[in-house]
Amino acid sequence: LPQHVKRGDLAGVIGTVTAVAGAVGAYTYFSTSSKHCVKDYSSNGPVAKRIASVTPYFPFKGIERFYDIGGFLKDPEAFQLAIDVFVERYKDKKIDCIVGVDARGFVLGPPIALALKVPFVMLRKKGKMPNAITGKEYSKEYAGNDSLSIPRGSVKPGDRVVVIDDLVATGGTLVASVDLVKTLGGEVVECACVVELKFLNAAQKFKEHGHDDVPIWALMDESILTLDGLKSPDIDSTGYVDDGEA
């Protein structure tokens, strides 16, 4: 031991380090399978589980488990991890622009686009944006029909595009998004979401609409989203009512 460190002091330091390691040990972000430690950004992997741990579900819009990404948006570390996942995934894919779906894609898409140094394009609901091209009507994930619009000239023929949304359920919204990008001559490299509800099989809807060339990738699925927003002691849900609108 260095002469200036007493044995009692060292024991205290070791105890503190052990306690801190225990506090963060529930989430090991790194893979040591290679010579260098790298964060594990795989689907349902350690980073995904960290984000899922602060992503609650509520009964909302008549749906028993409506997943609320507002949970991880309030956690700066988790939010940053979510952005890092997509930046890492697409940084070497020669992406020309990020297209975000109204409305939560507007939260996730811009920081990803900025990190990749590519334009961000909004897909908005019909009638919300000037000089736009509106696609065909589609059935919304939960109820009713809608249409999406894309700015005229925002995607050029041959552009490699990633479509970003928070969650894919039945796949209707993403199908409409892919339709619009392809209408402008863009190539959809991938549709990317934080959450995919696997049991609804969005890939089948892609196939039915001729988009089986477009992969869907999600950071996590419902199997690791176990935070009940009404039961968690860390979430104030006093007086909660389902006031969701389709």
Side-chain angles (χ1 to χ4, degrees), residues 104-116:
R104 295 177 185 87
F106 299 169
V107 176
L108 301 169
I112 296 169
L114 284 172
L116 294 175

Side-chain angles (χ1 to χ4, degrees), residues 104-174:
R104 295 177 185 87
F106 299 169
V107 176
L108 301 169
I112 296 169
L114 284 172
L116 294 175
K117 294 181 170 50
V118 299
F120 175 73
V121 177
M122 295 187 293
L123 278 181
R124 297 213 64 187
K125 301 292 174 60
K126 179 182 178 181
K128 301 292 185 181
M129 190 165 50
N131 194 30
I133 297 170
T134 299
K136 295 179 292 186
E137 192 173 79
Y138 68 95
S139 297
K140 293 195 291 186
E141 307 282 8
Y142 303 109
N145 298 319
D146 218 330
S147 300
L148 290 174
S149 299
I150 190 168
R152 196 178 306 274
S154 57
V155 174
K156 296 176 175 57
D159 277 357
R160 290 171 55 80
V161 175
V162 173
V163 177
I164 299 283
D165 205 357
D166 67 321
L167 179 146
V168 54
T170 63
T173 304
L174 286 182

Side-chain angles (χ1 to χ4, degrees), residues 41 82-98 112-113 115-116 118 160-164 188-193 215-219:
Y41 291 142
I83 299 305
D84 291 348
V85 167
F86 296 107
V87 172
E88 182 67 23
R89 184 170 181 83
Y90 300 116
K91 67 179 184 181
D92 298 320
K93 298 288 180 68
K94 298 181 179 178
I95 302 303
D96 293 301
C97 69
I98 298 293
I112 296 169
L116 294 175
V118 299
R160 290 171 55 80
V161 175
V162 173
V163 177
I164 299 283
V188 182
V189 174
E190 198 161 64
C191 288
C193 302
I216 301 170
W217 187 83
L219 178 58

Side-chain angles (χ1 to χ4, degrees), residues 4-238:
H4 63 280
V5 177
K6 297 180 181 179
R7 291 187 180 274
D9 293 339
L10 181 62
V13 170
I14 292 173
T16 301
V17 170
T18 301
V20 171
V24 300
Y27 301 100
T28 303
Y29 301 146
F30 298 92
S31 169
T32 55
S33 57
S34 63
K35 292 182 179 179
H36 303 286
C37 289
V38 294
K39 283 186 178 177
D40 184 344
Y41 291 142
S42 60
S43 293
N44 288 350
V47 169
K49 289 176 180 175
R50 166 66 178 89
I51 297 166
S53 74
V54 290
T55 305
Y57 63 82
F58 296 90
F60 192 59
K61 298 187 180 183
I63 298 162
E64 184 179 353
R65 291 193 175 196
F66 186 100
Y67 299 101
D68 178 20
I69 70 162
F72 75 73
L73 296 180
K74 294 187 293 186
D75 182 322
E77 181 193 56
F79 190 6
Q80 184 65 64
L81 285 169
I83 299 305
D84 291 348
V85 167
F86 296 107
V87 172
E88 182 67 23
R89 184 170 181 83
Y90 300 116
K91 67 179 184 181
D92 298 320
K93 298 288 180 68
K94 298 181 179 178
I95 302 303
D96 293 301
C97 69
I98 298 293
V99 170
V101 182
D102 195 343
R104 295 177 185 87
F106 299 169
V107 176
L108 301 169
I112 296 169
L114 284 172
L116 294 175
K117 294 181 170 50
V118 299
F120 175 73
V121 177
M122 295 187 293
L123 278 181
R124 297 213 64 187
K125 301 292 174 60
K126 179 182 178 181
K128 301 292 185 181
M129 190 165 50
N131 194 30
I133 297 170
T134 299
K136 295 179 292 186
E137 192 173 79
Y138 68 95
S139 297
K140 293 195 291 186
E141 307 282 8
Y142 303 109
N145 298 319
D146 218 330
S147 300
L148 290 174
S149 299
I150 190 168
R152 196 178 306 274
S154 57
V155 174
K156 296 176 175 57
D159 277 357
R160 290 171 55 80
V161 175
V162 173
V163 177
I164 299 283
D165 205 357
D166 67 321
L167 179 146
V168 54
T170 63
T173 304
L174 286 182
V175 164
S177 303
V178 174
D179 280 342
L180 271 173
V181 171
K182 286 186 173 181
T183 295
L184 297 183
E187 174 193 350
V188 182
V189 174
E190 198 161 64
C191 288
C193 302
V194 177
V195 178
E196 179 180 3
L197 303 184
K198 292 281 191 180
F199 74 96
L200 291 175
N201 195 10
Q204 179 60 33
K205 179 158 285 191
F206 271 45
K207 185 176 181 180
E208 292 169 359
H209 286 78
H211 296 319
D212 46 338
D213 59 318
V214 179
I216 301 170
W217 187 83
L219 178 58
M220 67 187 77
D221 61 42
E222 65 271 25
S223 67
I224 66 169
L225 287 161
T226 59
L227 181 61
D228 187 332
L230 296 183
K231 294 181 179 179
S232 171
D234 299 322
I235 298 174
D236 183 359
S237 59
T238 305

